[in-house]
Amino acid sequence: MDTNRKPRLAVLIPCYNEELTVAKVIYDFRRNLPDSDIYVYDNNSKDDIINAAKKAGAIVHTEVLQGKGHVIRRMFADIEADIYVMVDGDATYHADSVRLMIDKMIAERLDMVTGVRKTNLQEAYRAGHRFGNMMFSLLIAKIFGDRISDLLSGYRVFSRRFVKSFPALSGEFEIETELTVHALEL
């Protein structure tokens, strides 16, 4: 990244049926990152997320191959930036933390920083999510060391190097594990 110019920021929001929450996510990230481009990639939603995202000021695209992995692969291929923020469109992540995450990534020359969802609301997690997350995180910690506490987080900040070198093999939600393993390998 050229240090003589302001880094280009892109907020990536992969979405499936999140019409009711996507505008809040867009507004919250626009407030925290006013100079960023905000992209919503719809993944064949049954609701009117496309219009909701456009009204909130996002750049909207569609990925027809079903699955979060396909959406992330498309976003990483399509979008050019220096710093990428990826967040789910369900409004369960803390947008006000994004500057701290970006600053940490830059200061420590990291390729990925993961935002951890801290909530007691059961609606924030799919059935079995907490248990599976804990088990997978423990497994990854055994292999790569104890650097991960939320393997399945949908809130991450990436360097350009990470995004443009990511091999993206997964088609579904296992993409979060693949993202983490790639970061640990870098």
Side-chain angles (χ1 to χ4, degrees):
M1 182 167 49
D2 181 1
T3 55
N4 294 327
R5 66 169 173 79
K6 210 171 184 179
R8 292 173 300 164
L9 298 171
V11 177
L12 316 178
I13 310 171
C15 289
Y16 179 72
N17 291 338
E18 292 166 323
E19 173 189 3
L20 299 178
T21 54
V22 73
K24 178 182 179 357
V25 175
I26 294 164
Y27 294 139
D28 287 351
F29 280 88
R30 175 67 62 221
R31 181 174 38 82
N32 283 280
L33 299 172
D35 295 331
S36 66
D37 291 322
I38 299 180
Y39 298 87
V40 169
Y41 274 66
D42 174 53
N43 196 208
N44 303 312
S45 296
K46 307 295 184 257
D47 62 11
D48 197 18
I49 192 169
I50 291 173
N51 284 325
K54 284 180 180 177
K55 283 181 187 173
I59 302 162
V60 180
H61 296 280
T62 299
E63 173 52 51
V64 296
L65 291 175
Q66 196 66 44
K68 190 172 185 179
H70 295 296
V71 177
I72 290 172
R73 183 179 308 114
R74 173 65 64 186
M75 290 188 304
F76 283 7
D78 288 355
I79 298 168
E80 297 295 329
D82 298 309
I83 297 171
Y84 298 79
V85 176
M86 185 178 72
V87 64
D88 291 340
D90 61 5
T92 58
Y93 291 103
H94 191 246
D96 293 344
S97 300
V98 72
R99 268 283 158 215
L100 293 172
M101 293 169 65
I102 290 170
D103 291 347
K104 180 177 183 65
M105 188 186 76
I106 293 169
E108 296 181 28
R109 299 191 55 175
L110 302 171
D111 288 300
M112 183 180 79
V113 174
T114 304
V116 178
R117 181 173 17 198
K118 300 279 188 187
T119 182
N120 291 324
L121 295 174
Q122 288 302 113
E123 303 83 47
Y125 296 94
R126 294 180 310 278
H129 185 97
R130 284 182 193 212
F131 178 74
N133 195 6
M134 181 184 69
M135 295 307 294
F136 283 121
S137 295
L138 288 172
L139 177 64
I140 294 296
K142 288 280 188 210
I143 297 168
F144 291 101
D146 193 16
R147 297 185 282 169
I148 303 296
S149 64
D150 188 356
L151 180 70
L152 303 177
S153 175
Y155 188 16
R156 298 168 189 247
V157 175
F158 303 107
S159 68
R160 177 177 178 72
R161 178 175 98 121
F162 181 99
V163 166
K164 296 307 178 183
S165 68
F166 182 64
L169 303 172
S170 305
E172 298 290 335
F173 278 96
E174 64 272 11
I175 191 76
E176 278 97 356
T177 304
E178 193 177 343
L179 290 165
T180 300
V181 171
H182 184 64
L184 293 169
E185 288 175 338
L186 285 176

